[in-house]
Amino acid sequence: QCGNQIGARFWDLALREHAHYNQAANHDGALNSFFRNVDSKSQQELGVGKKISKLKARAVLIDMEEGVVNSVMNGPLSDLFDHQQSVTDVSGSGNNWAVGFYDYGTRYENSIIETIATAAEHCDALQCFFLLHSMGGGTGSGLGTRVLNILKDNFPDIYRFVVPVYPSADGDDVITSPYNSVLAMNQLTQHADVVLPVENSALTRLVNNVAKHTDQSSSAPSANSSVDKKSAITSNQGSLQKDERPWDAMNNLVGHLLLNTTASSRYQGSLNVDLNEITMNMVPFPRMQYLVASQCPLFGSKDVKMLSRNVDQMFSNTFSRQYQLIEADPKHDIYLACALLARGNVSLSDLRRNIDRMKGHAKFMHWNEEGWKTGICSVPPVGLPYSLLNLSNNLCIRHTFSDLQTHFLKLYRRRAHLHHYTQVDGMEGELLSEAAASLADQIANYSSLAQSASNPIVIPRLQVL
């Protein structure tokens, strides 16, 4: 359910963004990245440059509890999807990774392959897949990572970007979520090219932060500092879905993460970045493909003066945990690499000035002190003059993994609830121990790099005698 709810908000926001910048209603190259243009009568696909007739999202919706998919198919976005783009069941996976991965994964594998292959055939130059799913539930973690395996087996040359939603470290309503998360993470580490983890607690914090500022602005308006509520990236303002549900604000944050990540692939810019460049530049070692995402601003001001100070503050904010989509703190840890993807009224000199400024605060590995990747897309998000997405490969992620390991071991040491997993056909008890060992290795690898950064090996220079 989680992945499809996020996906619904993403497609709504993507439509809003393209409608805002495509006033001529032509099916241009930017729109073609996410949507097909289909003749409403013949159902034949129309080429780029034609007038928009009927848009179809380049998406596949999969869920073993059909409620959310049905609501999307019958809601304001219904015209974007055909039932041929979905694979559903009715009973769900019962918060059990093994049921999702082995039971439903085996039963629906052929249908999933056919549905994805059909969607891929409509693409002229397929660049990557984005997979959205939860880590704590059974279908999201189990069937979600089974889909990841399917993508790797059937499309080995296409990059796989995964956006998994981790349960909150301070509590979750699914008792077995530590098992599901560790089993799913083992699959992500093996089969994903880039992972952009998101934590529920971080999304809640960001939403509350936006709400606090908009509430203060309403109670004490100021000509210079009042917030434009329509610009808040948590808002549904201008989208097809008018009634905001409690989780929409959180899902909108993830939707903007996807929009900002793909902006350079859709729009023109002075320094565009392809998605394959993120993989190439941000993942220095295998199994270290987990990137910490932060984005700023979260809202715009009614006073839209383009002050350099505001741009500089935006750069500083993205290096703060207050703007991150996970709870770990990068400020006191080591960067392996950092990508700064700007949109809107940001110049190359702004990027260079702020990188030089941040070098004194952001500590990089000694062997990659110039590990900065930059991009500029000229088209800003709707309602904002500019924005910045910071994707960091930072060793602070190990603390998130350590918290997950702690919750996992509380259950696993007592073998609590384990019988629910081992009774599923195909699921062996050793798989949990293997997944636990994989997580421990992951933490050890990051910790080893942190230790080596504290005590770098100095190689003496060669001397000519």
Side-chain angles (χ1 to χ4, degrees):
Q1 296 182 11
C2 171
N4 284 301
Q5 287 170 346
I6 292 174
R9 294 306 313 131
F10 164 74
W11 289 111
D12 202 345
L13 294 172
L15 271 182
R16 181 187 70 170
E17 182 171 284
H18 284 283
H20 183 80
Y21 292 111
N22 187 351
Q23 299 292 330
N26 291 323
H27 190 69
D28 56 13
L31 190 61
N32 192 52
S33 298
F34 284 162
F35 301 95
R36 298 162 47 221
N37 188 22
V38 178
D39 185 271
S40 57
K41 294 181 179 179
S42 66
Q43 301 303 311
Q44 295 296 313
E45 190 158 343
L46 305 176
V48 174
K50 303 290 185 179
K51 281 290 184 180
I52 295 174
S53 178
K54 189 175 185 180
L55 294 178
K56 293 294 180 182
R58 300 188 186 276
V60 173
L61 286 67
I62 302 171
D63 203 345
M64 295 299 100
E65 190 174 340
E66 62 182 1
V68 172
V69 173
N70 286 343
S71 68
V72 173
M73 293 289 190
N74 298 315
L77 301 175
S78 58
D79 288 342
L80 290 181
F81 306 100
D82 293 324
H83 285 285
Q84 291 81 3
Q85 292 176 253
S86 66
V87 179
T88 61
D89 203 298
V90 294
S91 58
S93 300
N95 298 324
N96 189 327
W97 178 90
V99 173
F101 191 90
Y102 286 109
D103 188 352
Y104 286 122
T106 301
R107 200 186 315 173
Y108 286 95
E109 181 169 2
N110 290 334
S111 297
I112 292 171
I113 292 173
E114 292 174 5
T115 306
I116 295 175
T118 300
E121 288 172 0
H122 291 298
C123 299
D124 296 326
L126 181 58
Q127 189 174 20
C128 85
F129 292 102
F130 278 92
L131 179 61
L132 314 176
H133 67 92
S134 69
M135 295 288 279
T139 301
S141 65
L143 188 57
T145 51
R146 182 64 175 257
V147 171
L148 181 61
N149 281 257
I150 289 172
L151 294 177
K152 184 175 183 180
D153 291 341
N154 292 271
F155 304 90
D157 299 326
I158 307 299
Y159 288 106
R160 297 169 295 279
F161 280 59
V162 183
V163 183
V165 180
Y166 281 72
S168 299
D170 56 355
D172 186 69
D173 59 352
V174 178
I175 294 174
T176 55
S177 67
Y179 283 163
N180 297 332
S181 298
V182 170
L183 286 162
M185 187 172 163
N186 185 33
Q187 300 296 319
L188 297 184
T189 302
Q190 294 182 59
H191 305 302
D193 292 302
V194 172
V195 182
L196 302 172
V198 174
E199 280 188 90
N200 272 326
S201 54
L203 295 179
T204 302
R205 168 175 48 77
L206 287 166
V207 169
N208 291 338
N209 185 22
V210 174
K212 179 182 70 174
H213 283 83
T214 54
D215 291 344
Q216 288 177 350
S217 176
S218 299
S219 60
S222 165
N224 295 322
S225 61
S226 59
V227 170
D228 184 359
K229 285 189 174 183
K230 296 180 181 179
S231 71
I233 67 174
T234 57
S235 171
N236 286 6
Q237 182 73 32
S239 62
L240 290 176
Q241 182 183 303
K242 305 303 180 185
D243 299 329
E244 293 196 26
R245 297 163 297 186
W247 56 84
D248 281 348
M250 297 169 65
N251 292 338
N252 285 348
L253 288 167
V254 187
H256 278 279
L257 167 64
L258 296 172
L259 288 175
N260 293 332
T261 302
T262 60
S264 284
S265 298
R266 295 180 288 126
Y267 299 115
Q268 294 296 315
S270 58
L271 195 63
N272 274 7
V273 175
D274 285 335
L275 293 171
N276 62 333
E277 294 182 61
I278 295 176
T279 304
M280 184 64 64
N281 290 274
M282 297 300 296
V283 185
F285 303 111
R287 298 174 59 89
M288 290 193 170
Q289 67 270 50
Y290 294 84
L291 306 184
V292 178
S294 60
Q295 50 193 359
C296 185
L298 301 176
F299 46 79
S301 171
K302 290 181 179 178
D303 178 21
V304 289
K305 295 178 181 178
M306 304 302 295
L307 299 177
S308 175
R309 174 179 57 83
N310 294 337
V311 175
D312 292 352
Q313 185 62 49
M314 176 178 69
F315 277 83
S316 298
N317 289 344
T318 62
F319 285 87
S320 165
R321 68 181 300 178
Q322 298 303 317
Y323 288 80
Q324 282 183 181
L325 274 65
I326 66 169
E327 294 290 8
D329 189 358
K331 187 175 294 185
H332 305 295
D333 239 307
I334 313 298
Y335 287 84
L336 301 180
C338 181
L340 299 174
L341 307 179
R343 297 184 63 181
N345 191 13
V346 180
S347 65
L348 186 58
S349 62
D350 289 327
L351 282 175
R352 289 173 175 169
R353 180 181 70 254
N354 279 282
I355 287 175
D356 289 340
R357 185 171 62 87
M358 295 309 300
K359 283 180 179 179
H361 304 280
K363 185 178 181 181
F364 278 70
M365 293 297 293
H366 59 277
W367 41 261
N368 196 30
E369 292 180 347
E370 299 300 323
W372 301 86
K373 179 65 181 175
T374 56
I376 300 176
C377 171
S378 59
V379 177
V382 175
L384 296 172
Y386 43 65
S387 73
L388 182 68
L389 172 64
N390 183 329
L391 299 177
S392 300
N393 198 331
N394 190 291
L395 300 183
C396 70
I397 193 74
R398 73 186 188 279
H399 301 300
T400 299
F401 298 159
S402 294
D403 289 340
L404 174 59
Q405 183 185 50
T406 299
H407 287 85
F408 171 83
L409 291 176
K410 286 180 180 179
L411 292 177
Y412 189 60
R413 282 171 178 160
R414 294 165 177 78
R415 300 300 190 266
H417 304 284
L418 197 58
H419 63 287
H420 298 300
Y421 291 78
T422 55
Q423 68 186 10
V424 177
D425 288 342
M427 178 69 185
E428 299 177 357
E430 291 78 8
L431 287 173
L432 263 170
S433 59
E434 290 174 7
S438 174
L439 177 58
D441 289 343
Q442 193 79 9
I443 296 170
N445 290 338
Y446 282 107
S447 299
S448 177
L449 280 174
Q451 186 175 6
S452 68
S454 302
N455 303 289
I457 300 174
V458 179
I459 301 176
R461 299 183 64 180
L462 292 174
Q463 295 181 355
V464 179
L465 301 177

